[in-house]
Amino acid sequence: MLSKKTPFILYGGDYNPDQWDEKTIDEDMKLFKKAGVNLLVLPVFSWAKLEPEEGRYEFEWLDKILNKIWENHIYVFLATPTTAQPAWLSKKYADVLPVDITGRKRTHGMRVFFCVNSEHYRLRARALAEAMAEHYRDFPGLAGWHVSNEYGTYCYCENCQNKFRGWLKKRYGTIENLNDRWHTSFWGRTVYDFDEIMVPSELNDDYRFSPAVQLDYMRFVTDSTIGCYLNEATVLKAATPDLPVFSNISGYIKKLNQFEMVPHMDCAGWDNYPAPTDEPAFIALKHDIMRGAKDGASYLVTEQSPNQQNWQPYNKLKRPGELRRLAYQGMAHGADSSLYFQMRQSIAGQEKFHGALIAHCGEDTRIFREMCVLGQELKKLGRAFVGGRTKARAAIVFDWDNWWALELSSGPTQDMDYLKQVYKYYKAFHSQNIPVDMVKTTRELSAYDVVVLPLMYMVKPGFDEKIRTLVESGKTVLATYMSGRADENDRCIFGAYPGPLGDVFGLWVEETDALYPQESVEITMDGSNIHYPEGAYRGRFLCDILHTTTARVLGRYGRAYDGAQEIRCFYSGSPAITCNDFGKGRAYYVGTEMDTLFMERLVDAMCREQGIYAPFKTDGALEVTCRENEDGQFWFVINHGSEKGCVYLGKALDCKETADYGHSGTVYRDLLRDRNVAGAYEIEAGDVAVLKVMEGMPV
Ligand SMILES: [Zn+2]
């Protein structure tokens, strides 16, 4: 678990008491107790109030509020409020403010609006962290440190430019090596000295036209942000070694490599703000990426909105039961918290219409009542599944460098969206409730029996060997179009794609066709272990034209269509889906973006080959996951649908296809309803259940 001090599910969130008078704060305490809040995060935006002038700290107001919070037995994550620097800091030290991608020096304002490499920002942020650590290290209600907030500023100032040059020198050693790695002979971009290197901005358009430069800049900004985080975190950790230190990651996760950042933290903290149109499986994918950031350890959901957000084009209210369902979905995937932004709705400013526990109209609200119910349930669950891990035998390899490089690449299609593509493969597992880990390229893969490599465009040194060994040892691997194309610097691999993985998949790719959005190609299956309705499958997006060497052809391109109109397709009849027996294992290749039904069946076939099955049979839109800790096994059943669903509770451990669903006698304790259950168990539309395995107990 995150900390021995708080061995329970953390419930509460961001509180900004510097906006409120004493009477309101007293009222808030009563309402927090009523809602079952056990943790508050503060003061995220209070640097200006804590340090009104350089070196003069005013802690009295915060002491008073913290004491009041602790008198009510509520813990706190103390936030270093360094996300919003005070005006005096921006005015006094010019290096603090960032330069944007257009080359404009920005003026004071906003939040997360500083240069992460600014010397004066880092000096003053560290001094503030030191002062807070010194002042609050022994505060009994202190449960952890929340460093800054939603890092993610890209700066293009002269200081960043100099730092970037130093970073490149360290990475590449010599200018000759850099020229080689960036392949600067293309378009005559040779540089003779590191001081000729510019940050990729709108001033030179390198952010669009020089993928190798932009890719390294994104890596550099990630490293700079890690440095900025550690500048404070090391001080806090030294003062309170037993307490967790972390930062919260913005819901928009692409811009910083979280698989690089989070290992520097005691846990991942993620702000979950789904769009109203996001499917439950897409939210689940993001949760699982966060779980993967620290190789399967539990994490924190640091922010959600209790109700509507304010920055979507159309801010739908959370429907009755939705906040509860989203909260349990986070916990079902590995979160040990359900924290919210914000506790009291601000009266003005950008987020005045953003949902809160306590709305402008007070406590007599649907949302407050729903939060009270959730609070009572979490209190009842106590420590339950806290710290629990998810056991998965299947994995999807996810990689930020690959994400960036794929989307930076000009061609073959403007519609490249890595996360959306990965989601198609993730959803095929999720819809069948087969647990899957989202893993880094550096993760040891031998524990997984089925491994999917969606669009593994970039093959990093040693990764091909890892995959080769995995398949040879008897595991099943799937790769797709746009795989094995480039190295770490986005230089394409000489020889045919998928490059060093060609022998494993037993094929080579000659060309890749990009389809217009309305175009599709039928895929005719030649016969395989995949059960399919004939002619029902379609390929879209991209189509590899490939040649097999040792692979068997499972499916071929058939007739092509522009909308409903049949069109000529010169590669009709050529292979689209293949399978290669390699060593003791199998390597599948999918040469085009297939529809959901096909992906579900292929994933099902691969999993069956390895003896992996859904844990339970279900009816309805049920999401089923499991977490296990020293106290046992906890099953989450969430009904995302509008109809009643049913889970057939058989014996869950390594459930085989032949398992006698519903009759094998394992008893589960429904922890929310205080009753023992077995067999067919109905879950109402929108409802959730948390079931603890109770071996040998009567129903
Ligand atoms: Zn800068």
Side-chain angles (χ1 to χ4, degrees):
M1 75 184 57
L2 190 58
S3 162
K4 285 179 185 162
K5 202 167 182 181
T6 49
F8 45 79
I9 304 153
L10 303 173
Y11 186 57
D14 281 33
Y15 185 45
N16 301 295
D18 43 329
Q19 295 180 30
W20 316 117
D21 60 23
E22 206 164 330
K23 187 166 161 280
T24 311
I25 292 170
D26 286 339
E27 177 68 12
D28 289 345
M29 294 302 140
K30 277 186 224 155
L31 297 179
F32 293 159
K33 295 298 285 179
K34 197 169 172 180
V37 165
N38 58 32
L39 184 122
L40 296 169
V41 185
L42 73 164
V44 177
F45 299 106
S46 302
W47 193 347
K49 194 166 167 101
L50 279 177
E51 192 183 2
E53 63 178 299
E54 185 169 351
R56 181 165 69 80
Y57 299 109
E58 291 192 349
F59 289 124
E60 298 75 23
W61 66 272
L62 185 58
D63 294 348
K64 220 166 138 183
I65 291 162
L66 289 176
N67 289 334
K68 201 168 271 189
I69 291 170
W70 187 233
E71 278 165 21
N72 286 281
H73 308 293
I74 296 172
Y75 284 89
V76 293
F77 281 153
L78 268 177
T80 60
T82 49
T83 188
Q85 76 271 19
W88 61 259
L89 185 60
S90 300
K91 187 165 87 179
K92 199 164 173 182
Y93 303 108
D95 64 313
V96 169
L97 289 169
V99 169
D100 71 14
I101 196 164
T102 69
R104 288 182 306 170
K105 177 79 173 173
R106 305 306 297 267
T107 63
H108 183 77
M110 239 316 250
R111 64 181 168 108
V112 207
F113 216 54
F114 53 85
C115 168
V116 287
N117 285 310
S118 156
E119 187 193 339
H120 286 100
Y121 171 84
R122 287 201 186 186
L123 274 172
R124 293 318 311 164
R126 190 176 175 96
L128 177 60
E130 280 169 349
M132 288 182 77
E134 183 58 31
H135 194 80
Y136 292 114
R137 64 196 297 166
D138 298 320
F139 176 65
L142 179 63
W145 295 96
H146 177 292
V147 177
S148 208
N149 173 64
E150 295 189 342
Y151 285 111
T153 303
Y154 270 58
C155 176
Y156 302 84
C157 73
E158 211 175 317
N159 182 34
C160 284
Q161 183 156 280
N162 287 332
K163 289 261 179 357
F164 182 46
R165 291 166 179 169
W167 184 90
L168 291 168
K169 201 166 188 175
K170 202 171 157 200
R171 188 175 175 90
Y172 298 118
T174 64
I175 201 71
E176 291 77 19
N177 188 32
L178 178 136
N179 278 310
D180 178 40
R181 301 289 288 267
W182 281 4
H183 196 66
T184 51
S185 48
F186 178 76
W187 279 1
R189 297 292 310 277
T190 304
V191 276
Y192 304 93
D193 197 301
F194 282 92
D195 69 7
E196 291 160 8
I197 295 164
M198 302 295 161
V199 290
S201 70
E202 281 189 12
L203 296 180
N204 49 37
D205 274 352
D206 277 353
Y207 78 103
R208 287 198 295 154
F209 297 119
S210 299
V213 184
Q214 177 64 11
L215 186 59
D216 270 343
Y217 201 64
M218 295 173 97
R219 290 168 172 150
F220 163 74
V221 174
T222 294
D223 281 355
S224 300
T225 308
I226 291 169
C228 196
Y229 165 79
L230 290 174
N231 176 55
E232 297 176 41
T234 47
V235 168
L236 304 167
K237 196 68 190 169
T240 55
D242 296 332
L243 294 180
V245 182
F246 60 92
S247 186
N248 60 323
I249 296 152
S250 160
Y252 181 67
I253 55 176
K254 181 186 168 186
K255 50 191 173 183
L256 296 176
N257 184 339
Q258 300 305 336
F259 279 4
E260 291 287 335
M261 277 199 76
V262 172
H264 294 278
M265 304 177 190
D266 288 325
C267 66
W270 178 51
D271 297 349
N272 177 22
Y273 289 107
T277 49
D278 283 351
E279 294 178 340
F282 189 64
I283 304 168
L285 165 65
K286 288 191 173 182
H287 279 297
D288 283 353
I289 291 172
M290 286 301 129
R291 193 177 74 229
K294 239 175 144 54
D295 296 344
S298 56
Y299 58 92
L300 298 174
V301 170
T302 32
E303 290 184 23
Q304 303 157 95
S305 178
N307 199 352
Q308 70 203 132
Q309 299 151 32
N310 66 294
W311 64 84
Q312 303 278 0
Y314 303 95
N315 294 282
K316 301 293 283 184
L317 291 171
K318 284 226 162 69
R319 273 32 198 170
E322 192 176 347
L323 81 87
R324 175 172 176 263
R325 203 162 57 251
L326 286 170
Y328 280 104
Q329 188 185 32
M331 294 181 267
H333 284 268
D336 282 347
S337 69
S338 195
L339 301 175
Y340 294 84
F341 182 91
Q342 50 194 330
M343 292 291 95
R344 179 176 276 280
Q345 194 167 24
S346 53
I347 208 77
Q350 165 69 8
E351 295 182 299
K352 62 185 181 297
F353 291 132
H354 186 287
L357 169 70
I358 307 163
H360 291 153
C361 58
E363 66 172 297
D364 187 15
T365 66
R366 173 178 69 89
I367 291 296
F368 187 81
R369 285 188 287 277
E370 286 193 33
M371 291 283 284
C372 288
V373 170
L374 180 58
Q376 290 310 310
E377 285 184 350
L378 298 185
K379 195 173 175 185
K380 185 197 269 190
L381 287 169
R383 59 178 285 154
F385 47 78
V386 170
R389 295 175 78 100
T390 299
K391 284 185 182 166
R393 290 174 58 196
I396 295 174
V397 179
F398 188 81
D399 187 46
W400 252 266
D401 291 312
N402 189 56
W403 187 355
W404 293 338
L406 260 173
E407 293 184 13
L408 284 169
S409 180
S410 179
T413 172
Q414 66 167 12
D415 292 340
M416 182 55 70
D417 182 335
Y418 177 60
L419 197 59
K420 193 174 148 195
Q421 289 293 319
V422 170
Y423 176 52
K424 289 177 184 294
Y425 297 89
Y426 179 84
K427 196 176 172 184
F429 287 92
H430 184 270
S431 64
Q432 301 178 73
N433 287 317
I434 295 171
V436 59
D437 281 343
M438 302 300 297
V439 300
K440 305 167 189 174
T441 53
T442 51
R443 183 84 175 264
E444 174 56 49
L445 295 175
S446 58
Y448 297 104
D449 296 313
V450 171
V451 174
V452 178
L453 316 172
L455 290 79
M456 198 45 68
Y457 169 82
M458 179 184 286
V459 181
K460 294 180 176 176
F463 185 71
D464 54 316
E465 205 43 53
K466 193 189 273 196
I467 296 301
R468 184 171 291 105
T469 308
L470 194 72
V471 182
E472 273 175 343
S473 72
K475 308 301 178 69
T476 301
V477 171
L478 169 92
T480 73
Y481 46 96
M482 292 304 284
S483 287
R485 304 264 164 144
D487 70 4
E488 281 189 294
N489 291 97
D490 202 31
R491 291 178 302 187
C492 284
I493 294 165
F494 269 125
Y497 314 130
L501 291 167
D503 60 330
V504 180
F505 292 91
L507 56 84
W508 61 279
V509 177
E510 185 181 339
E511 298 176 281
T512 301
D513 194 19
L515 275 57
Y516 293 126
Q518 74 278 10
E519 287 184 337
S520 63
V521 188
E522 280 181 0
I523 303 296
T524 313
M525 299 305 290
D526 282 3
S528 68
N529 54 351
I530 305 160
H531 306 290
Y532 57 92
E534 215 161 311
Y537 299 129
R538 293 280 176 116
R540 290 181 173 81
F541 187 49
L542 293 170
C543 293
D544 278 351
I545 300 172
L546 59 90
H547 305 274
T548 55
T549 50
T550 54
R552 299 191 306 280
V553 178
L554 302 183
R556 293 177 187 274
Y557 294 110
R559 286 178 296 195
Y561 297 89
D562 184 342
Q565 177 78 37
E566 188 171 346
I567 52 172
R568 278 179 57 82
C569 177
F570 76 90
Y571 45 88
S572 285
S574 72
I577 319 281
T578 65
C579 178
N580 192 39
D581 292 327
F582 188 80
K584 295 180 191 162
R586 273 188 177 167
Y588 288 89
Y589 191 86
V590 178
T592 180
E593 181 197 289
M594 296 297 286
D595 50 36
T596 304
L597 180 67
F598 176 87
M599 287 317 306
E600 284 178 354
R601 289 185 177 176
L602 181 59
V603 162
D604 179 57
M606 291 195 307
C607 287
R608 279 165 190 266
E609 276 176 17
Q610 293 289 348
I612 302 171
Y613 302 94
F616 306 116
K617 180 176 178 288
T618 54
D619 291 334
L622 297 191
E623 179 176 16
V624 180
T625 71
C626 184
R627 291 180 69 184
E628 197 169 344
N629 64 12
E630 61 276 17
D631 294 330
Q633 215 180 60
F634 298 83
W635 287 89
F636 294 79
V637 187
I638 304 172
N639 188 346
H640 293 289
S642 52
E643 307 279 335
K644 189 186 282 187
C646 186
V647 57
Y648 298 89
L649 298 167
K651 191 169 176 59
L653 287 169
D654 293 318
C655 181
K656 296 283 182 284
E657 187 185 19
T658 52
D660 186 8
Y661 287 118
H663 303 287
S664 63
T666 302
V667 175
Y668 299 79
R669 182 77 177 167
D670 184 331
L671 298 177
L672 298 178
R673 294 167 189 79
D674 292 323
R675 63 185 181 218
N676 290 352
V677 297
Y681 193 44
E682 290 189 336
I683 308 290
E684 294 295 329
D687 206 354
V688 302
V690 183
L691 308 172
K692 187 180 182 197
V693 175
M694 307 288 281
E695 295 284 355
M697 291 285 290
V699 181

mmCIF file of all heavy atoms in Angstrom, residues 115 117 155-157 159-160, ligand 1:
data_model
loop_
_atom_site.group_PDB
_atom_site.id
_atom_site.type_symbol
_atom_site.label_atom_id
_atom_site.label_comp_id
_atom_site.label_asym_id
_atom_site.label_seq_id
_atom_site.Cartn_x
_atom_site.Cartn_y
_atom_site.Cartn_z
ATOM 1 N N CYS A 115 9.011 28.226 -17.011
ATOM 2 C CA CYS A 115 10.002 27.414 -17.712
ATOM 3 C C CYS A 115 10.550 26.383 -16.725
ATOM 4 O O CYS A 115 11.056 26.756 -15.672
ATOM 5 C CB CYS A 115 11.117 28.320 -18.235
ATOM 6 S SG CYS A 115 12.555 27.402 -18.804
ATOM 7 N N ASN A 117 13.107 24.754 -16.830
ATOM 8 C CA ASN A 117 14.565 24.843 -16.681
ATOM 9 C C ASN A 117 15.021 26.166 -16.063
ATOM 10 O O ASN A 117 16.221 26.409 -15.943
ATOM 11 C CB ASN A 117 15.234 24.674 -18.054
ATOM 12 C CG ASN A 117 15.213 23.228 -18.490
ATOM 13 O OD1 ASN A 117 15.602 22.333 -17.732
ATOM 14 N ND2 ASN A 117 14.741 22.969 -19.696
ATOM 15 N N CYS A 155 8.669 24.823 -23.249
ATOM 16 C CA CYS A 155 9.249 26.168 -23.333
ATOM 17 C C CYS A 155 10.331 26.179 -24.413
ATOM 18 O O CYS A 155 10.983 25.173 -24.671
ATOM 19 C CB CYS A 155 9.835 26.545 -21.974
ATOM 20 S SG CYS A 155 10.683 28.142 -21.976
ATOM 21 N N TYR A 156 10.499 27.346 -25.057
ATOM 22 C CA TYR A 156 11.450 27.473 -26.171
ATOM 23 C C TYR A 156 12.385 28.665 -25.932
ATOM 24 O O TYR A 156 12.779 29.354 -26.865
ATOM 25 C CB TYR A 156 10.676 27.627 -27.486
ATOM 26 C CG TYR A 156 9.749 26.449 -27.742
ATOM 27 C CD1 TYR A 156 8.473 26.408 -27.162
ATOM 28 C CD2 TYR A 156 10.160 25.372 -28.500
ATOM 29 C CE1 TYR A 156 7.635 25.322 -27.360
ATOM 30 C CE2 TYR A 156 9.331 24.277 -28.700
ATOM 31 C CZ TYR A 156 8.073 24.262 -28.134
ATOM 32 O OH TYR A 156 7.247 23.182 -28.310
ATOM 33 N N CYS A 157 12.704 28.937 -24.663
ATOM 34 C CA CYS A 157 13.538 30.097 -24.348
ATOM 35 C C CYS A 157 15.014 29.790 -24.625
ATOM 36 O O CYS A 157 15.385 28.654 -24.910
ATOM 37 C CB CYS A 157 13.322 30.527 -22.904
ATOM 38 S SG CYS A 157 14.058 29.416 -21.674
ATOM 39 N N ASN A 159 17.431 29.753 -22.573
ATOM 40 C CA ASN A 159 17.968 28.848 -21.548
ATOM 41 C C ASN A 159 17.658 27.394 -21.919
ATOM 42 O O ASN A 159 18.518 26.517 -21.835
ATOM 43 C CB ASN A 159 17.352 29.216 -20.190
ATOM 44 C CG ASN A 159 17.890 28.358 -19.063
ATOM 45 O OD1 ASN A 159 19.055 27.957 -19.076
ATOM 46 N ND2 ASN A 159 17.037 28.054 -18.099
ATOM 47 N N CYS A 160 16.417 27.140 -22.336
ATOM 48 C CA CYS A 160 16.045 25.788 -22.757
ATOM 49 C C CYS A 160 16.873 25.365 -23.966
ATOM 50 O O CYS A 160 17.297 24.212 -24.070
ATOM 51 C CB CYS A 160 14.557 25.707 -23.072
ATOM 52 S SG CYS A 160 13.537 25.679 -21.582
HETATM 53 ZN ZN ZN B 1 12.652 27.707 -21.041
#
